[in-house]
Amino acid sequence: RIRLRGKGAPGERGGPPGDLYVTVKVKPHPVFGRKGDNLTVTVPVTFAEAALGGEIKVPTLGGPPVTLRLPPGTPNGRTLRARGKGAVRKDGTRGDLLVKVEVAVPKEVKGKALDALEAYREATADFDPRAELFKAAKGA
């Protein structure tokens, strides 16, 4: 809400004009969010990209896409930074683009992919990602 002093309707009986209040509503962008001078975006990646690493293309606001390096073993929810690809500041410099990684899980797995995942499950059967969670819950 913005107040513009003296820009409203004329006062009664020749009095000074009142204030004009302007209400501004900003429609959210369908892809990008904002955190201060930084823009935010959530980018889906495959399990293989998150586990093995690689390069991913990420859209920018009003410019060409940037390529970011995804380190091997990237967890779901990790945030990567593309410096200078965010919102323009008052001094003309740019904030950063904060890229949140979201591992996309397919709804259906068939054929060779299913066989590969079953083999992966067997190969990693001794790894329990929840072991520390249960230890902490017991107070150990």
Side-chain angles (χ1 to χ4, degrees):
R1 187 170 151 171
I2 301 169
R3 177 181 174 189
L4 301 172
R5 289 186 182 197
K7 300 294 182 183
E12 293 182 14
R13 295 186 203 110
D19 296 340
L20 172 66
Y21 289 92
V22 179
T23 303
V24 178
K25 294 184 181 181
V26 179
K27 185 177 177 183
H29 193 278
V31 174
F32 298 99
R34 188 159 181 172
K35 193 182 264 187
D37 293 333
N38 299 323
L39 294 179
T40 61
V41 64
T42 300
V43 176
V45 298
T46 65
F47 171 76
E49 289 172 322
L52 303 174
E55 291 186 347
I56 58 171
K57 282 193 181 271
V58 177
T60 61
L61 186 64
V66 294
T67 301
L68 295 179
R69 190 180 71 73
L70 200 61
T74 299
N76 189 51
R78 178 164 180 193
T79 300
L80 307 172
R81 180 180 305 267
R83 297 202 183 277
K85 299 297 180 182
V88 178
R89 298 181 180 114
K90 290 179 184 176
D91 65 2
T93 61
R94 295 181 81 90
D96 299 335
L97 177 62
L98 304 177
V99 180
K100 183 178 176 185
V101 173
E102 187 175 87
V103 177
V105 179
K107 292 185 192 312
E108 194 174 339
V109 182
K110 295 180 180 179
K112 288 183 181 180
L114 178 62
D115 295 339
L117 282 174
E118 289 291 348
Y120 176 78
R121 182 177 10 207
E122 289 176 24
T124 59
D126 58 337
F127 173 67
D128 183 3
R130 293 171 293 281
E132 295 298 317
L133 175 70
F134 284 98
K135 280 184 186 176
K138 290 180 182 178

